[in-house]
Every structure is written in structure tokens, then in C-alpha cells.
Amino acid sequence: MSLLNHLAPLRDAYRRLTQAGGDPFDVGFDAILSPTEGVLNGRRMLLLGTNNYLGLTFDPACVAAGAQALEMQGTGTTGSRIANGTYGGHRALEEQLARFYGRRSAMVFTTGYQANLGMLSSLVGPGDHIVIDADSHASIYDGVKLSRATVTRFRHNDPDDLGRRLGRLPTGGNTLIVVEGVYSMLGDSAPLAEIAALKREHGAYLLVDEAHSMGVLGEKGRGLAEAAGVEADVDFIVGTFSKSLGAIGGFCVSDVPDFDLLRLASRPYMFTASLPPSIIASVAAALERLQQEPGLRRRLSDNARHLHGALVAAGLAVGPEPTPIISIELASPELAIAFWNRLIEQGIYINLALPPATPRGIALLRSSVSAAHTREQLDRVVGAVSTIAGELGVTPRRRRAVSE
Amino acid sequence: MADRADHIAARIAGLVAERVPRVDAVAGEARIRELGLDSVAVMDLVMAVEDQYEVIFPLERLAEIETIDDLTRVVRGLIEQRMASS
């Protein structure tokens, strides 16, 4: 009886899936050449699964800001935000985020995962209720577990179902509704106007995770709440620095009174070291670029529409909306892995997503488009995907988009 | 009352069987995870049970559930709670 015996089903599934060839869960790049190119096992790869929406990872201003902070302030803070780990840069970045969103307060966390853990675990407690979208990210599921509130799920992107469940909640305690701007697997966005109306009707609070929509949606790039015109109804916006801002870290902005008390209540904020000064500096520079260059967002949106349209035209079953996350649904995990391996042979890296990380037990090849992709790169992807789909007998069984 | 309890048990076993491929019926003592349902499928099952009985099944109570009988027991408690409060 081994200690890890409880993981036997996982081990068996993993063996089954990887015996066909390469291991999609153990990719290690030899080098990264640009936001859209890298080297894998000696071969040049076109990168189409990086969440690098604005392509800022090699932006000269961001790199220079990070390098200067590294030189001047060292490699790390070696401490918590509530001890020695808050520098001027951390405070300045929080002020910059609050200004960007037009909010009173902001808190910066060490990762996006911890931002959700940190907020959800401390905003509500025993006797309160949290209602989350069924397709929520793992960080939301883990965060609500830490809250000790009563947790219930509503059907993905279904405001009627949310309304029914809100109506069933017992009286007493606060209610927090949690949704995402753009969902990370199929790239579909939340029906936020309807959800905001329910929030008002039931006197609940609303938290929106804009991890995949910050810098992507909205005229100013503030995300889905801005695009849907309901920012006033959103009490908490959570986001990450590891996607459109090209680094790592997370944040929450809000107008609620006493927000700063959370700094002394949120364990994922307190009991971890703060972000290194170089990351803080590159993120601050990236947020400037996001605000000053709306052209990046336009290019991203054009690229997303182009790839989504071309894949739909090629008969592939893709997600319902042309957001930068464009996923191809395949009939089985085995087929998805075979497809993934063939793309690698063609010099194209894409994400593979399998159940239970995916909704409804589906297997996905998940791409994320960047503003830095050229039309030629995207057309090369469409060509390769169409050819492999033909070779593997992936029939255009559904020409309509995948949605429920 | 016993009839009603049996009815709930049968209905829940039916909802489980609908989610397990190539199975028509499942026993009350069957362990849900051994039927091949992953963590998301179990949560989706709970959602269907919630709708069937108009209750809220808090996710944190999933830790109590190993068998279909466990699920039935918790749901019966939730129904009784709802009826007592209405």
C-alpha cells in the first residue's frame, strides 16, 4: 500500500493517455524567442497557447522597467506584504490599478490563483452564501472551500438558473455571486447584465474574475464589466498579471468600505512572500502600455475573429464567441492527444485540456490568440489544423459553434 | 413516510444511473466515485438532485457522500429542513 495509492486512477489515466506519444502535460521549452515563438526539443514552435493576449512579454519598456528594478532593488522581497515585503512599487501599483478601474481600493497578490483564494476566503464566512458558476476556475473552487460559507453552483452562464438558486437560499447572511468575465476553456463570456440585475434584485454582492478579459474586452480594456456597462454593479473585480500583462501576480479592486482590513484577514495575502520588485515594475509598465495603446486590443480582437472564423469555416467545432480563447472540441481525449502530437510535429504548440478540467467531460485543443500573432502565423495554424483534421478523420460533425 | 423515503432513494439512484454509461440501475450502497463519475460529474449530479427537490445542497457537504445511500440521507435531511422552515 503506497502513500499515493489514492492517485492510482489518475496514474492509470495518465499512462493510457501518454502511451500514444508525446506528453502534453510535460512540455519544457528549450528557449522562448518572442511572444509567439519558442524552441521545443530543438524545434522551432509557433506558440498558440500562452494567454499572452497583448504580446507584452518582450515589450522593451516592460523588460527595461523590470531589469532596472532587478538591478536597483534585488531579486526578491523575501517577506510578506504585512511584514517587510511591501515596497514603494507595490503601493504604487495598487494605486495605479485603483485609478485604472476607477475604484477606491486595490490589493496586489503574489499570483492570480492566490487573489481568488485570498478574496473568497475572507469576503464571506460562516452563515454567508456563495453562489458560483459551475464552470468556475479551480482557484474559485479552492477559494470558496476556504471561506466556510455555504457554497452552491448554478448552471454555466444561465441567469435563470442563478435566479432560481438565489431564490432557494435561506434568509440570513450575505450572498456573494462569483462569475468570470471570459471562461478559460471555451472562451465564452458571462451574461453579466442579467447577472447584475439578479444581484440587485436579491441584494447580493458580485465578484467578477476578469483574468481572461482584462486588456481584452471593454473600450478601455477594463474587461467584461466595462464592455457590458455594469461596472457600478460589480463590487469586486479580481484579475491577474500573468495574461495580458505578461508577468505573474493577481489583484482585486473594490469600493467597499474597510477594504484594507482584508489585508489583515486574508491568509493567502499574508502568509506568502510578496512579488519581487522586478515583476511589480514590469507589470506597472505593462498596465501603462495597455492604457496607452488601444491598437493592441484592436489587433487582438481582429486576430481572434480571423482565427475563429477560419476554424468555423473549416468545419471544426469551436467555442461560441470569437474571444482570444478559441477551443476546438474533439470526440475523445485519445483523439485530442493524437491531434496535439501532430500539431507539435508541424511546429505548432497549443494547449490540451481534458476532463475534469473541462466542462461536460469534453476534450479540447485550446488556443489563445495574441495581438503579436501575424496573419501568416494564424493562417499557418488554420492550414495545419484543417489538414490534420482530415487525416485523423475529424469530420465536420457540427458546423454550429459549441454551446449550450 | 417510509414510502416517501423509498421514493427519494429510487429517484436519486435513477439520477445516478442516468450519468453512468452502460448501467441501468445502481444499488444504494454503491460508491459514487467507483461508478466512474469524476469530481465535476458528481457536482453536476448534485445540481440535478437540488432541482429535483428544490433544495440547496451545499458543496461542502460533498465530503459526507461516499455512497448513493449517503446522498439520499443528506437530501432527505435537506427536504425536511426546507419543509420545517416553510
Side-chain angles (χ1 to χ4, degrees), chain A residues 196-371:
Chain A
L198 285 166
K199 169 243 158 148
R200 287 194 300 270
E201 184 189 329
H202 290 269
Y205 293 87
L206 176 59
L207 181 150
V208 180
D209 179 348
E210 301 264 22
H212 292 276
S213 36
M214 177 195 201
V216 173
L217 299 179
E219 198 190 328
K220 304 281 184 197
R222 290 198 296 263
L224 182 66
E226 184 197 2
V230 294
E231 285 177 291
D233 289 312
V234 178
D235 302 283
F236 305 95
I237 286 177
V238 169
T240 176
F241 305 147
S242 60
K243 297 180 169 62
S244 56
L245 300 181
I248 188 167
F251 69 90
C252 178
V253 295
S254 180
D255 279 329
V256 295
D258 290 330
F259 184 81
D260 284 330
L261 267 181
L262 294 171
R263 293 182 200 273
L264 301 173
S266 172
R267 295 162 69 89
Y269 174 83
M270 293 188 279
F271 295 102
T272 192
S274 65
L275 282 168
S278 54
I279 299 293
I280 293 286
S282 87
V283 168
L287 185 53
E288 282 286 313
R289 297 277 280 122
L290 184 160
Q291 289 173 267
Q292 286 165 0
E293 285 208 41
L296 287 174
R297 224 152 31 251
R298 277 198 297 277
R299 204 152 55 213
L300 173 63
S301 169
D302 288 348
N303 280 349
R305 281 173 200 286
H306 181 72
L307 183 63
H308 188 268
L311 291 175
V312 169
L316 277 308
V318 296
E321 291 176 53
T323 60
I325 298 170
I326 300 170
S327 293
I328 302 169
E329 182 182 344
L330 293 166
S332 68
E334 290 75 16
L335 181 61
I337 289 190
F339 208 126
W340 183 88
N341 276 304
R342 298 293 291 275
L343 280 168
I344 292 287
E345 287 165 19
Q346 296 292 314
I348 295 170
Y349 172 79
I350 196 166
N351 301 134
L352 177 76
L354 299 177
T358 54
R360 294 179 280 121
I362 59 180
L364 294 173
L365 291 176
R366 173 189 180 274
S367 64
S368 46
V369 175
S370 171

Side-chain angles (χ1 to χ4, degrees), chain B residues 11-46:
Chain B
R11 184 72 197 111
I12 288 177
L15 287 170
V16 176
E18 280 171 22
R19 286 165 172 72
V20 182
R22 294 179 295 279
V23 163
D24 298 326
V26 288
E29 56 275 17
R31 290 177 187 276
I32 292 175
R33 293 304 285 268
E34 285 172 11
L35 293 169
L37 299 181
D38 66 25
S39 53
V40 173
V42 171
M43 290 192 293
D44 289 346
L45 165 68
V46 161

Side-chain angles (χ1 to χ4, degrees), chain A residues 85-304:
Chain A
T86 294
Y87 295 2
H90 296 82
R91 288 231 169 91
L93 179 58
E94 287 176 340
E95 286 161 16
Q96 190 183 351
L97 284 162
R99 270 198 310 279
F100 174 58
Y101 283 99
R103 305 275 176 159
R104 258 203 302 271
S105 315
M107 249 168 110
V108 163
F109 293 83
T110 303
T111 66
Y113 176 85
Q114 283 165 302
N116 268 333
L117 250 58
M119 295 310 299
L120 296 169
S121 62
S122 53
L123 283 177
V124 286
D128 294 327
H129 311 283
I130 304 187
V131 188
I132 67 173
D133 185 285
D135 284 5
S136 289
H137 188 260
S139 57
I140 292 174
Y141 275 101
D142 293 354
V144 299
K145 264 189 205 161
L146 289 178
S147 75
R148 295 182 296 152
T150 298
V151 182
T152 188
R153 302 155 86 224
F154 68 95
R155 288 195 166 76
H156 175 55
N157 273 355
D158 185 342
D160 292 339
D161 194 60
L162 171 62
R164 276 194 296 276
R165 281 162 208 281
L166 287 170
R168 273 183 218 157
L169 289 176
T171 49
N174 287 312
T175 300
L176 178 67
I177 301 167
V178 181
V179 298
E180 298 180 34
V182 167
Y183 286 86
S184 62
M185 287 294 120
L186 287 172
D188 47 343
S189 55
L192 205 53
E194 290 96 320
I195 290 169
L198 285 166
K199 169 243 158 148
R200 287 194 300 270
E201 184 189 329
H202 290 269
Y205 293 87
L206 176 59
L207 181 150
V208 180
D209 179 348
E210 301 264 22
H212 292 276
S213 36
M214 177 195 201
V216 173
L217 299 179
E219 198 190 328
K220 304 281 184 197
R222 290 198 296 263
L224 182 66
E226 184 197 2
V230 294
E231 285 177 291
D233 289 312
V234 178
D235 302 283
F236 305 95
I237 286 177
V238 169
T240 176
F241 305 147
S242 60
K243 297 180 169 62
S244 56
L245 300 181
I248 188 167
F251 69 90
C252 178
V253 295
S254 180
D255 279 329
V256 295
D258 290 330
F259 184 81
D260 284 330
L261 267 181
L262 294 171
R263 293 182 200 273
L264 301 173
S266 172
R267 295 162 69 89
Y269 174 83
M270 293 188 279
F271 295 102
T272 192
S274 65
L275 282 168
S278 54
I279 299 293
I280 293 286
S282 87
V283 168
L287 185 53
E288 282 286 313
R289 297 277 280 122
L290 184 160
Q291 289 173 267
Q292 286 165 0
E293 285 208 41
L296 287 174
R297 224 152 31 251
R298 277 198 297 277
R299 204 152 55 213
L300 173 63
S301 169
D302 288 348
N303 280 349

Side-chain angles (χ1 to χ4, degrees), chain A residues 50-80:
Chain A
T50 61
N51 306 310
N52 196 351
Y53 299 124
L54 300 180
L56 291 177
T57 45
F58 284 80
D59 180 83
C62 299
V63 172
Q68 194 191 10
L70 185 65
E71 290 273 349
M72 302 294 290
Q73 298 176 64
T75 51
T77 67
T78 66
S80 158

